[in-house]
Amino acid sequence: MSKELVFGHQSPDTDAIVAAKAYSYLQNQLGYDTEAVALGEPNAETAFVLNYFSEPTPRIIKTASNEVDKVMLVDHNEFQQSVSDIKDVTITHVVDHHRISNFETQAPLFYRAEPVGCCSTIITKMFAENKIDIPVQLAGLMLSAIISDTLLLKSPTTTEDDKIAVKNLSEIADIDYQKYGIEMLKAGTNVAAKSDQELIDGDAKSFTLGGKSIRIDQINVVEFGDIQKRKDDIKKAMEAEAKDKGYDLFLVLVTNVLDSNSKLISVGEPESAVEKAFSKKFNGDTMDLPGVVSRKKQVVPPLTKALEN
Ligand code: MN
Ligand code: MN
């Protein structure tokens, strides 16, 4: 059987890297010959996790077709988020927890999609279904991925399956997940080490809503003050990038991962459009959004509604 590569999306987060490692391990136990690789450098949080569990960083690839004919995708399916030559290889497996869009194949494949908080939660279930034991180190990694994607089970994307997986994985890894989780989330929020440009690009995604070009970035912090004191410079960087790339609206959602509240910084479209979306007023030039942590569930939908009406 020829070797297959397993990978998550570009600009990998912890789940993208961990789910690839976990799925590769599972498939190898089931008789496949696979290698987990990544489509970019691990971020600060993922680097902390790999180091904590003494796991090697996966090899980083730019293209796949130069080394294999077949690949398996985890934590994504949209081609623009995948390896650059995805159309030149055969996708044999997908395991994912996102919307399905811009995806098609020539041949039948194994496709597992579930609306849960983390791809590693689905893979945890697949280990049980296949009666394969999860090694201790891998359980620690998978636990970390779920904590990362669900912000310690507090994001509205969290499901019962995620909670069960966290409980089972923390038992295997013998870890107090609350205590470890805060330490891990803190490790991913080193704002001081990043430039204004890195902060506004770090986790930014583009959307077209109501015919407008919208950019939404999210910055995780443990202290709002770390961003507050740099806000004027961050806004200048946002304005410059919005002008350069033609964004009608650029939002930066600053999320405190310890108490699950956010503040919004906005550039572009009149403030009234954003105020309409959230039925809230700006306080100076930021908007308080208590309880908001999910871009996908709590920011994009109200904004879509406000801009499309
Ligand atoms: Mn991801
Ligand atoms: Mn994920």
Side-chain angles (χ1 to χ4, degrees):
M1 200 183 309
S2 62
K3 183 176 140 181
E4 302 190 34
L5 295 178
V6 186
F7 47 84
H9 52 82
Q10 296 173 24
S11 303
D13 51 19
T14 298
D15 190 31
I17 287 185
V18 167
K21 276 179 166 278
Y23 200 58
S24 171
Y25 178 88
L26 175 65
Q27 291 305 314
N28 289 350
Q29 295 298 306
L30 295 173
Y32 284 85
D33 176 16
T34 74
E35 179 190 356
V37 293
L39 302 186
E41 292 287 342
N43 64 29
E45 179 193 272
T46 313
F48 169 89
V49 170
L50 293 170
N51 181 52
Y52 193 98
F53 294 101
S54 309
E55 279 280 327
T57 302
R59 187 165 65 85
I60 294 166
I61 62 160
K62 292 245 178 304
T63 55
S65 62
N66 55 312
E67 45 178 317
V68 293
D69 299 324
K70 295 174 178 176
V71 300
M72 302 182 181
L73 309 186
V74 292
D75 198 35
H76 75 296
N77 67 79
E78 302 191 39
F79 282 5
Q80 76 275 11
Q81 299 176 2
S82 198
V83 76
S84 58
D85 60 347
I86 189 67
K87 291 192 170 132
D88 301 328
V89 289
T90 301
I91 302 165
T92 64
H93 290 63
V94 179
V95 182
D96 191 23
H97 68 126
H98 294 91
R99 69 172 189 175
I100 300 172
S101 183
N102 186 22
F103 179 86
E104 60 178 17
T105 60
Q106 305 274 339
L109 75 162
F110 177 92
Y111 199 117
R112 172 101 171 229
E114 289 188 40
V116 294
C118 181
C119 190
S120 293
T121 296
I122 306 172
I123 300 172
T124 303
K125 291 164 69 174
M126 294 176 76
F127 270 88
E129 290 158 10
N130 287 285
K131 300 191 168 56
I132 306 272
D133 287 335
I134 304 176
V136 173
Q137 308 298 105
L138 190 57
L141 294 188
M142 294 164 83
L143 173 67
S144 305
I146 304 174
I147 291 169
S148 170
D149 266 12
T150 66
L151 286 180
L152 253 175
L153 302 175
K154 283 190 253 168
S155 166
T157 55
T158 309
T159 66
E160 207 47 43
D161 284 358
D162 299 299
K163 293 178 190 169
I164 294 167
V166 160
K167 186 174 163 288
N168 293 341
L169 293 167
S170 49
E171 275 167 18
I172 297 169
D174 192 21
I175 276 182
D176 175 347
Y177 76 86
Q178 287 285 358
K179 193 159 158 266
Y180 165 75
I182 286 170
E183 198 187 334
M184 186 204 95
L185 290 172
K186 276 186 180 169
T189 61
N190 191 357
V191 168
K194 292 175 191 154
S195 68
D196 299 325
Q197 194 62 40
E198 285 168 332
L199 284 175
I200 66 166
D201 282 340
D203 182 24
K205 290 186 177 170
S206 296
F207 302 86
T208 305
L209 308 175
K212 308 255 186 203
S213 166
I214 316 289
R215 183 83 163 165
I216 309 175
D217 180 46
Q218 188 164 23
I219 304 172
N220 286 348
V221 300
V222 288
E223 192 81 63
F224 280 128
D226 293 345
I227 294 296
Q228 192 67 24
K229 65 186 178 207
R230 292 168 61 177
K231 202 181 60 215
D232 291 346
D233 291 330
I234 289 170
K235 276 190 95 162
K236 271 190 206 131
M238 290 165 70
E239 274 156 11
E241 182 151 316
K243 195 166 168 228
D244 187 38
K245 304 271 170 65
Y247 303 135
D248 297 304
L249 176 65
F250 195 151
L251 297 176
V252 170
L253 187 71
V254 186
T255 300
N256 186 322
V257 294
L258 297 187
D259 65 9
S260 304
N261 292 315
S262 292
K263 287 183 194 291
L264 194 65
I265 305 172
S266 169
V267 157
E269 283 289 292
E271 290 194 341
S272 57
V274 181
E275 290 182 336
K276 186 177 157 206
F278 296 100
S279 309
K280 289 211 73 164
K281 295 275 173 214
F282 274 91
N283 177 7
D285 53 9
T286 58
M287 182 186 285
D288 287 320
L289 294 174
V292 170
V293 295
S294 169
R295 168 172 45 201
K296 157 164 81 174
K297 279 210 162 177
Q298 295 170 296
V299 176
V300 172
L303 212 54
T304 307
K305 217 172 150 202
L307 291 170
E308 292 188 348
N309 290 309

